[in-house]
């Protein structure tokens, strides 16, 4: 039996999600994982969260070369939750992230011609992120999460924009 409740001010939760980065333009899909801490801010539906994430997919480089690409980082997001369908919550998030990226396994030369890649193949990048999330309360402290997350890389020379679909669990600490 569902034991649903609304959110309370200063309520905290931890979550973990696993997802798939979809094929788009010059990238080939792969996986992504994220885990974090969230907090309810007041009693009007406002939320905040911090997440660590890891992405692993492939990108297309010059002359149709396929290069491995990894990124791991930290994001901070503000959100809003519509609770009118309780025990189902509709959450929206927008935020920013900083990350370390590595293309071509850190090798500065491309695999096909052994030519030097003009951009640095590893380093710090940053960008914007947004999510649309459905949260279904299973018990008073445990819920299932399903979301669509979009990433916009503002600095990367290899990855400009990608999106992923996730599933996971959230546990309310208090």
């Amino acid at each position: 039996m569902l034991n649903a409740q609304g959110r309370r001010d200063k309520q905290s939760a931890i979550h973990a999600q696993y997802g798939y980065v979809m094929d788009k333009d010059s990238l080939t899909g792969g996986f992504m994982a994220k885990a974090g801490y969230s907090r309810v801010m007041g009693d009007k539906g406002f939320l905040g969260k911090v997440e660590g994430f890891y992405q692993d997919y492939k990108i297309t480089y010059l002359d149709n070369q396929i290069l491995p690409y990894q990124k791991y980082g930290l994001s901070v997001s503000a959100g809003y939750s519509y609770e009118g369908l309780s025990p189902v919550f509709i959450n929206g998030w927008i935020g920013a992230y900083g990350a370390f990226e590595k293309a071509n396994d850190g090798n500065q030369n491309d695999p096909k011609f052994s030519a030097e890649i003009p951009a640095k193949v590893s380093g710090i990048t940053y960008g914007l992120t947004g999510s649309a999330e459905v949260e279904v309360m299973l018990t008073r402290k445990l819920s299932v999460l399903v979301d669509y997350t979009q990433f916009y890389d503002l600095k990367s020379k290899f990855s400009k924009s990608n999106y992923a679909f996730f599933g996971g669990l959230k546990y309310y600490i208090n």
Side-chain angles (χ1 to χ4, degrees), residues 5-124:
Q5 68 175 27
R7 301 240 175 72
R8 302 182 317 271
D9 184 26
K10 298 181 184 164
Q11 189 174 18
S12 299
I14 54 174
H15 65 275
Q17 294 176 273
Y18 184 79
Y20 188 75
V21 178
M22 306 303 285
D23 294 352
K24 180 181 182 287
D25 299 331
S26 64
L27 72 85
T28 302
F31 79 91
M32 182 173 174
K34 58 184 179 177
Y37 169 84
S38 61
R39 187 168 176 107
V40 177
M41 308 216 183
D43 59 2
K44 303 288 187 208
F46 295 104
L47 309 168
K49 74 176 172 179
V50 62
E51 283 181 324
F53 64 87
Y54 175 75
Q55 298 178 347
D56 188 351
Y57 53 91
K58 296 188 183 331
I59 56 173
T60 302
Y61 185 61
L62 295 175
D63 207 26
N64 293 322
Q65 297 180 72
I66 305 296
L67 305 179
Y69 179 84
Q70 295 86 33
K71 179 175 9 185
Y72 54 92
L74 192 64
S75 68
V76 176
S77 299
Y80 180 78
S81 181
Y82 175 71
E83 300 177 4
L85 303 173
S86 184
V88 176
F89 302 136
I90 309 296
N91 305 324
W93 300 94
I94 189 157
Y97 68 87
F100 179 80
E101 70 175 349
K102 182 171 65 170
N104 199 29
D105 293 325
N107 186 345
Q108 197 63 50
N109 294 331
D110 73 48
K112 190 171 187 178
F113 303 109
S114 291
E116 185 172 338
I117 297 172
K120 285 185 65 176
V121 294
S122 64
I124 302 298

Side-chain angles (χ1 to χ4, degrees), residues 118-161:
K120 285 185 65 176
V121 294
S122 64
I124 302 298
T125 188
Y126 53 87
L128 302 173
T129 183
S131 296
E133 178 180 81
V134 175
E135 179 178 352
V136 179
M137 298 298 296
L138 298 176
T139 67
R140 188 177 69 81
K141 290 195 170 232
L142 185 66
S143 62
V144 171
L145 300 173
V146 176
D147 82 38
Y148 164 87
T149 300
Q150 180 76 50
F151 293 89
Y152 295 100
D153 295 310
L154 299 175
K155 185 180 180 228
S156 177
K157 300 288 187 198
F158 299 98
S159 178
K160 296 300 177 199
S161 172

